[in-house]
Amino acid sequence: MRTQVAIIGAGPSGLLLAQLLYKAGIDAVVVERQSPDYVLGRIRAGVLEQITMDLLDQAGVGQRMHAEGLPHHGIELLFKGARHRIDLQGLSGGKQVMVYGQTEVTRDLMQARAAEGLTTIYEARDVTLHDFDSTNPKVRYTKDGQTHEISCDFIAGCDGYHGVSRASVPQDKLHTYEKVYPFGWLGVLADVPPVSHELIYANTPRGFALCSMRSATRSRYYVQVPMEEKVENWSDDAFWNELRSRLDPEAAANLVTGPSLEKSIAPLRSFVAEPMRFGRLFLAGDAAHIVPPTGAKGLNLAASDVGYLSSALAEFYREKSDVGIDSYSERCLRRVWKAERFSWWFTSLMHRFPDTGEFGQKIQEAELDYLVNSTAASTSLAENYVGLPLV
Ligand code: FAS
Ligand code: PHB
């Protein structure tokens, strides 16, 4: 098989890149290890920046997001038993975020690709990358017992943190940075109305909690748990009781509980691989970087990566120019590191660490008190949360 761009991974990075390339008249084939249902079954991000919304519109898949998504203009910070609203819209010059689940984004992209009759190879096994240091890279995979080869001009590694793309780069060509946090997020998805109309981020003596949502009837909640915790140790009742114990009296009284549709523990880490380009191989999204989900940046960074990459590849084919592909890595990493900083800062502020101690807790409470009472400090939070401008 021959294509212009071989994309490894049919998560949001791979599918959004494929759709943006299609709109630019560039042929791509997507190779995915799992089945479509498996990909859709992973419950992940919930908050889209305006830049991500604009890219979904550019890809021609924004209709349902605009129809069903929830525009949000603020978030609340809960500490010392009281909630404090951060006016994202007022502090960011009118920007907002959209609450619309990653599952729905992925579904919209899958359906658009299928409707155009474009090639996505699911349940591909033993994917390998070849000759990406030449101008004739190749991707090989097995399916139904047969080995297949895709020859292409470029490979986009959109296969996430555990994917094969970054692992195919010679280790002496890659520099990685990593910080593993000593806790995880136990998340529950349930068909119950949200406890509040905006997201609540809580710093409490029992640890962090987040009240989010997917719609007016479907909620997404998280509580911080020790990194060695096992999801099988948590009944639904145990989860609801723990969440309720981390809320203020009003929210605790408003909490509607119900059976979990999904329950899982996500580990938290900060990770960056540099550079993000190796000859004709480009890394994008979680294949290149991971942020703790506190700042709701993971999916949004993946989107801005593929926005840069699709523009660079369109410039290459249309204008025979290498300027975009040569600057791809540097442009992405400038944005990635700012999001890494914000996600690390917000995680450090809102979570209970083993060595936080009494002094550390007082410092966190003082910073939160400063944050909610300082226009300068809350403006900084707001402009990072809604998404910094593309550079
Ligand atoms: P993905 O990991 O989503 O997709 C990669 C795809 O590549 C997968 O479908 C995988 O099956 C496929 N693949 C892997 N290896 C392959 C191979 N060898 N061959 C072919 N295909 C292969 N972000 C937020 O903003 N908020 C959150 O609350 C949040 N929660 C998260 C919870 C978890 C458990 C995880 C892991 C991430 C979470 N994230 C969150 C971040 C998440 O949303 C990612 O940023 C987003 O999925 C990135 O998308 P992709 O880069 O497409 O990577
Ligand atoms: C979610 O709704 O899953 C979500 C929202 C905000 C975050 C993280 C996760 O910071």
Side-chain angles (χ1 to χ4, degrees):
M1 185 189 311
R2 165 89 196 147
T3 188
Q4 290 174 297
V5 183
I7 299 172
I8 303 177
S13 295
L15 291 175
L16 179 53
L17 175 61
Q19 199 60 18
L20 290 169
L21 292 177
Y22 170 70
K23 291 291 187 183
I26 298 169
D27 185 46
V29 170
V30 179
V31 182
E32 164 60 47
R33 178 166 62 180
Q34 305 291 356
S35 69
D37 286 347
Y38 184 95
V39 174
L40 290 172
R42 292 188 304 234
I43 306 303
R44 293 197 176 156
V47 173
L48 307 182
E49 295 175 359
Q50 185 65 50
I51 286 165
T52 303
M53 295 168 63
D54 295 344
L55 285 168
L56 292 170
D57 284 336
Q58 181 185 330
V61 299
Q63 300 85 343
R64 198 160 67 95
M65 170 190 63
H66 291 293
E68 298 176 15
L70 302 173
H72 275 220
H73 306 122
I75 59 172
E76 288 191 300
L77 303 183
L78 164 56
F79 60 99
K80 296 177 73 175
R83 282 151 51 180
H84 305 264
R85 186 170 188 269
I86 300 291
D87 177 9
L88 297 176
Q89 188 172 48
L91 292 165
S92 68
K95 292 184 181 177
Q96 64 180 35
V97 293
M98 178 73 87
V99 169
Y100 187 67
Q102 174 172 321
T103 298
E104 305 317 313
V105 171
T106 307
R107 194 191 316 278
D108 294 340
L109 287 163
M110 278 182 181
Q111 288 174 351
R113 187 160 182 78
E116 303 289 359
L118 299 171
T119 306
T120 305
I121 298 152
Y122 286 98
E123 297 175 289
R125 293 281 179 260
D126 313 316
V127 175
T128 52
L129 290 69
H130 304 272
D131 305 327
F132 49 82
D133 52 355
S134 79
T135 55
N136 305 296
K138 298 171 190 65
V139 171
R140 292 193 188 109
Y141 65 92
T142 59
K143 186 166 169 79
D144 304 329
Q146 297 289 316
T147 298
H148 303 266
E149 180 174 283
I150 302 171
S151 58
C152 51
D153 299 328
F154 297 98
I155 301 174
C158 299
D159 47 348
Y161 180 72
H162 299 289
V164 66
S165 299
R166 190 180 73 249
S168 300
V169 175
Q171 288 313 296
D172 63 339
K173 297 278 193 293
L174 198 67
H175 190 119
T176 61
Y177 305 82
E178 186 160 37
K179 178 180 181 58
V180 177
Y181 296 87
F183 40 73
W185 280 16
L186 168 61
V188 159
L189 185 72
D191 276 338
V192 294
V195 74
S196 176
H197 68 289
E198 291 182 325
L199 273 60
I200 302 174
Y201 288 82
N203 171 314
T204 84
R206 295 181 66 87
F208 171 81
L210 170 60
C211 301
S212 184
M213 63 199 75
R214 293 292 178 270
S215 70
T217 59
R218 178 167 288 191
S219 297
R220 179 68 168 166
Y221 291 111
Y222 299 93
V223 295
Q224 172 189 347
V225 293
M227 70 189 304
E228 61 278 359
E229 186 60 277
K230 300 282 181 258
V231 68
E232 48 269 20
N233 295 338
W234 287 83
S235 67
D236 286 0
D237 284 348
F239 175 84
W240 294 121
N241 290 334
E242 185 59 42
L243 174 65
R244 188 180 290 109
S245 73
R246 300 189 189 188
L247 298 178
D248 59 284
E250 181 194 355
N254 291 341
L255 181 65
V256 178
T257 65
S260 59
L261 301 172
E262 190 269 356
K263 184 162 50 185
S264 57
I265 294 179
L268 268 64
R269 76 175 76 242
S270 299
F271 173 84
V272 179
E274 291 188 354
M276 291 173 54
R277 181 234 179 145
F278 308 88
R280 290 295 179 100
L281 168 62
F282 297 90
L283 301 180
D286 278 19
H289 41 72
I290 297 286
V291 285
T294 321
K297 292 293 158 224
L299 175 57
N300 293 296
L301 277 181
S304 48
D305 286 352
V306 299
Y308 286 138
L309 184 53
S310 59
S311 300
L313 291 170
E315 185 185 83
F316 173 85
Y317 284 110
R318 193 176 49 238
E319 299 162 31
K320 302 288 179 277
S321 163
D322 288 3
V323 170
I325 58 176
D326 289 346
S327 61
Y328 166 76
S329 180
E330 189 271 334
R331 283 186 83 188
C332 286
L333 287 167
R334 278 191 68 197
R335 183 173 179 78
V336 164
W337 277 111
K338 290 193 184 83
E340 290 282 347
R341 181 212 66 82
F342 172 67
S343 304
W344 161 82
W345 168 79
F346 204 20
T347 301
S348 304
L349 178 62
M350 298 305 292
H351 290 74
R352 195 55 55 94
F353 290 70
D355 60 355
T356 296
E358 286 184 336
F359 176 78
Q361 179 60 24
K362 296 297 280 184
I363 292 295
Q364 283 185 337
E365 289 171 2
E367 179 161 6
L368 284 161
D369 184 23
Y370 165 64
L371 182 60
V372 301
N373 290 293
S374 159
T375 302
S378 45
T379 299
S380 175
L381 168 56
E383 69 177 359
N384 279 279
Y385 194 90
V386 300
L388 295 176
L390 290 174
V391 290

